């Protein structure tokens, strides 16, 4: 009875974000050899946690208290870097796990940042712009000596935008007059020192990573994006840019969704038309010539490539067996649970993990930070070419390392094998993580354990 098995597996699954990130970390560390005892215990823990409570006057003149969190996980390679999200479900556990993810992501794409993350527990969909501005300014003021261009650099995430970043910059700048404060935050509007290509960088990065991965021929009859049927959960910054990028590359976007539900047309959707409809009506749902489906149905829809680009834990033990995609490209952070990873690996579904697939955002954030230091602005072509090359290099690093583990394991046809001793073949998440953890571990020792 597969349905009953799936339901009981889902019920057993522990979705605590710290537990999940520990499981992923342990899987990866199991493949790493030769580091000092105790080093990995240090890498598990966040470096600094800041929690603030602050009052905001709402539009109806009542006062509401908000909780804001900022966590720096690691600064071995450079300042903490990571988004700020506004959502009712923001929790310390989630922010810690996302800060860790940022450490590994920056290390994997080889940029000189550590990992950080932040969030405010609030309901952005039911807050006015004026309220969101007050929340942002007050949260930034509370963090005035926590964030900084060389210590901890925020960026957009779930339900925060270029406008939010402009308010953060403005507030920080008022509190630190006389310095070049532009690099304190990335994902800013172009007029305020933002980088060309930043708003679509995460979605485009997903497309570049997918193209490079498909060219490795692990899916013999799908070696390029053209012709692939793509399903995308979430139609925000990441999901809509990914939809446009996949569409430009010749894929057929057959279903997309947002928090109100999903739409499907097996003949293909035009992302520009979907974006225009969403801008006018507030949701993709109801678009003419589409079938309305639920987010659950969307994830299990027949397709070649599934791009979760909304929330965490969307693919779990309860639905992993029903996923029909052959490749999952994680636009969102933590969309797949460890149990789902195992089930999908058994099914032969490949996953391009979050720290690889969605690293385009932090990569162009880094380019923005570099441009801000020099007070200059690069052209879009330069940013795009650099991003594409870096995403290709990261996919190659993960793929090559994965191949080196393939000795003695069951390997898909056509994969050349070399290298290390026989071990169970790790999935791509585990390989990406172990590369990143090794890099941070090595740098920690090179710097030297202080004092
Ligand atoms: P966003 O706020 O711009 O968009 C989020 C989208 O998800 C919206 O379309 C929203 O309607 C949809 N959504 C919300 N709840 C949903 C639900 N229950 N079911 C289906 N859809 C739902 O956020 P974003 O910046 O696009 O971020 C999306 C994900 O990508 C997050 O996990 C974020 O951490 C990750 N991410 C973002 C960036 C970036 O540069 N923005 C970079 C890396 C990773």
């Amino acid at each position: 009875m597969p349905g009953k098995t799936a339901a009981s597996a889902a019920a057993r699954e522990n979705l605590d974000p710290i537990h999940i990130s520990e499981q992923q970390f342990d899987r990866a560390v199991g493949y790493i050899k030769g580091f000092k005892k105790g080093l990995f215990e240090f890498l598990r823990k966040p470096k600094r946690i800041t929690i603030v409570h602050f009052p905001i006057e709402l539009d109806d003149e009542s006062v509401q208290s908000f909780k804001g969190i900022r966590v720096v996980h690691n600064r071995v390679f450079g300042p903490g870097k990571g988004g700020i999200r506004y959502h009712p479900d923001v929790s310390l556990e989630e922010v810690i796990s996302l800060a860790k993810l940022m450490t590994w992501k920056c290390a994997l794409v080889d940029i000189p940042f550590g990992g950080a993350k932040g969030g405010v527990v609030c309901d952005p969909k039911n807050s006015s712009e004026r309220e969101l501005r007050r929340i942002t300014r007050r949260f930034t003021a509370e963090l005035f000596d926590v964030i900084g261009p060389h210590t901890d650099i925020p960026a957009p995430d779930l339900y925060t935008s270029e406008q939010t970043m402009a308010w953060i910059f403005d507030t920080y700048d008022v509190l630190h007059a006389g310095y070049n404060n532009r690099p304190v935050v990335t994902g800013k509007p172009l007029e305020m020192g933002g980088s060309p290509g930043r708003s679509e960088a995460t979605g485009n990065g997903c497309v570049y990573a997918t193209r490079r991965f498909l060219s490795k021929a692990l899916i013999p009859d799908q070696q390029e994006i053209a012709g692939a049927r793509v399903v995308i959960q979430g139609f925000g910054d990441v999901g809509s840019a990914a939809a446009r990028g996949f569409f430009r590359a010749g894929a057929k976007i057959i279903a997309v969704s947002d928090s109100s539900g999903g739409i499907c047309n097996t003949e293909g959707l035009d992302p520009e038309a979907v974006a225009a409809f969403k801008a006018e009506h507030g949701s993709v749902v109801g678009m003419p010539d589409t079938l309305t489906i639920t987010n659950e149905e969307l994830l299990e829809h027949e397709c070649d490539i599934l791009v979760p680009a909304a929330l965490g834990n969307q693919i779990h033990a309860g639905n992993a067996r029903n996923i029909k995609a052959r490749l999952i490209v994680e636009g969102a952070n933590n969309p797949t649970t460890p149990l789902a990873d195992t089930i999908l690996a058994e099914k032969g579904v490949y996953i391009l993990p979050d720290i690889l697939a969605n690293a385009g955002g932090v990569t162009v954030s880094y380019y923005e930070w570099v441009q801000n230091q020099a007070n200059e602005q690069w052209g879009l072509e330069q940013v795009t070419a650099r991003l594409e090359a870096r995403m290709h290099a990261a996919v190659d690093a993960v793929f090559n390392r994965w191949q080196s583990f393939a000795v003695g394991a069951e390997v898909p046809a056509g994969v050349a094998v070399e290298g290390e001793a026989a071990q169970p073949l790790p999935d791509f998440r585990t390989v990406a993580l172990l590369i990143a953890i090794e890099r941070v571990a090595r740098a920690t020792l090179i710097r030297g354990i202080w004092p």
Side-chain angles (χ1 to χ4, degrees):
M1 277 190 287
K4 201 171 170 189
T5 316
S8 56
R12 277 202 315 273
E13 202 169 15
N14 181 350
L15 296 182
D16 173 68
I18 304 261
H19 176 74
I20 288 179
S21 82
E22 293 279 294
Q23 278 180 284
Q24 294 169 341
F25 185 86
D26 287 340
R27 277 185 190 179
V29 166
Y31 288 87
I32 302 177
K33 298 184 190 78
F35 282 96
K36 270 180 193 288
K37 195 164 162 251
L39 183 60
F40 294 121
E41 289 315 304
F42 161 69
L43 297 181
R44 273 179 207 282
K45 303 282 181 233
K47 180 179 180 62
R48 185 187 64 195
I49 294 173
T50 307
I51 298 178
V52 293
H53 292 94
F54 54 89
I56 291 298
E57 194 171 279
L58 303 182
D59 289 348
D60 66 4
E61 295 187 4
S62 67
V63 174
Q64 189 177 330
S65 175
F66 289 87
K67 179 179 183 178
I69 303 168
R70 186 74 186 168
V71 172
V72 174
H73 168 247
N74 187 287
R75 284 210 306 232
V76 165
F77 274 125
K81 184 83 191 85
I84 289 183
R85 60 174 52 184
Y86 288 175
H87 199 273
D89 295 339
V90 165
S91 68
L92 178 60
E93 291 76 15
E94 182 191 54
V95 176
I96 290 173
S97 79
L98 291 166
K100 276 183 180 175
L101 205 72
M102 286 305 296
T103 301
W104 315 136
K105 195 182 296 185
C106 294
L108 182 67
V109 288
D110 211 4
I111 56 181
F113 288 144
K117 202 77 181 187
V120 177
V121 186
C122 63
D123 185 3
K125 290 182 83 165
N126 292 310
S127 304
S128 70
E129 182 167 316
R130 285 156 57 93
E131 288 168 339
L132 289 172
R133 192 180 67 223
R134 289 187 210 123
I135 290 170
T136 305
R137 286 197 185 286
R138 182 65 192 252
F139 184 43
T140 309
E142 299 285 343
L143 297 181
F144 84 100
D145 59 350
V146 171
I147 61 172
H150 301 287
T151 51
D152 180 3
I153 306 154
D157 196 75
L158 216 51
Y159 294 108
T160 52
S161 62
E162 287 185 352
Q163 179 59 73
T164 323
M165 300 306 114
W167 292 329
I168 292 176
F169 162 71
D170 184 65
T171 309
Y172 186 89
D173 196 50
V174 168
L175 297 172
H176 300 81
Y179 298 95
N180 171 16
N181 291 313
R182 285 190 170 193
V184 72
V185 66
T186 60
K188 300 180 291 295
L190 270 181
E191 301 83 344
M192 269 329 307
S195 174
R198 173 59 184 91
S199 60
E200 60 273 30
T202 310
N204 282 345
C206 288
V207 177
Y208 302 148
T210 304
R211 181 181 291 135
R212 191 67 164 190
F213 177 77
L214 291 177
S215 76
K216 311 286 182 193
L218 282 180
I219 307 174
D221 60 336
Q222 188 79 68
Q223 296 190 30
E224 53 184 37
I225 290 174
R229 296 162 306 158
V230 176
V231 165
I232 300 177
Q233 186 196 40
F235 204 73
D237 282 353
V238 179
S240 64
R244 289 184 173 100
F246 277 111
F247 183 77
R248 277 196 304 274
K252 205 188 256 191
I253 313 298
I254 58 172
V256 299
S257 69
D258 57 27
S259 58
S260 306
I263 55 169
C264 171
N265 181 341
T266 49
E267 295 303 308
L269 300 159
D270 176 351
E272 295 302 341
V274 177
F277 184 86
K278 184 170 165 78
E280 192 179 341
H281 301 275
S283 170
V284 299
V285 176
M287 181 158 168
D289 302 321
T290 64
L291 191 68
T292 301
I293 56 177
T294 64
N295 263 294
E296 290 73 27
E297 289 166 337
L298 174 127
L299 294 170
E300 298 178 12
H301 204 282
E302 189 80 46
C303 67
D304 300 305
I305 300 172
L306 172 63
V307 186
L311 307 177
N313 299 337
Q314 296 299 294
I315 303 172
H316 45 74
N319 64 6
R321 269 177 241 286
N322 304 330
I323 301 287
K324 302 186 186 61
R326 301 191 290 174
L327 173 65
I328 296 174
V329 180
E330 294 187 338
N333 288 317
N334 284 330
T336 313
T337 66
L339 257 178
D341 273 343
T342 305
I343 295 167
L344 290 163
E346 283 165 11
K347 275 167 60 90
V349 178
Y350 293 109
I351 301 179
L352 288 186
D354 41 20
I355 62 168
L356 176 60
N358 72 35
V362 74
T363 301
V364 177
S365 274
Y366 166 57
Y367 298 153
E368 179 175 331
W369 184 79
V370 171
Q371 292 168 69
N372 290 163
Q373 309 276 347
N375 266 318
E376 59 177 44
Q377 199 164 49
W378 302 348
L380 178 60
E381 276 180 19
Q382 185 182 359
V383 172
T384 305
R386 282 181 178 232
L387 171 63
E388 189 164 8
R390 204 174 277 261
M391 295 303 294
H392 286 182
V395 172
D396 289 352
V398 173
F399 183 80
N400 293 342
R401 189 66 187 270
W402 177 81
Q403 273 197 321
S404 78
F405 279 104
V407 179
E410 215 167 294
V411 184
V415 175
V417 163
E418 54 180 75
E420 300 175 7
Q423 268 179 301
L425 187 60
D427 58 18
F428 287 106
R429 182 185 320 283
T430 304
V431 176
L433 269 172
L434 78 87
I435 293 173
I437 294 168
E438 274 179 354
R439 286 180 180 169
V440 179
R442 206 172 293 126
T444 307
L445 295 178
I446 291 170
R447 284 180 66 143
I449 307 290
W450 197 86

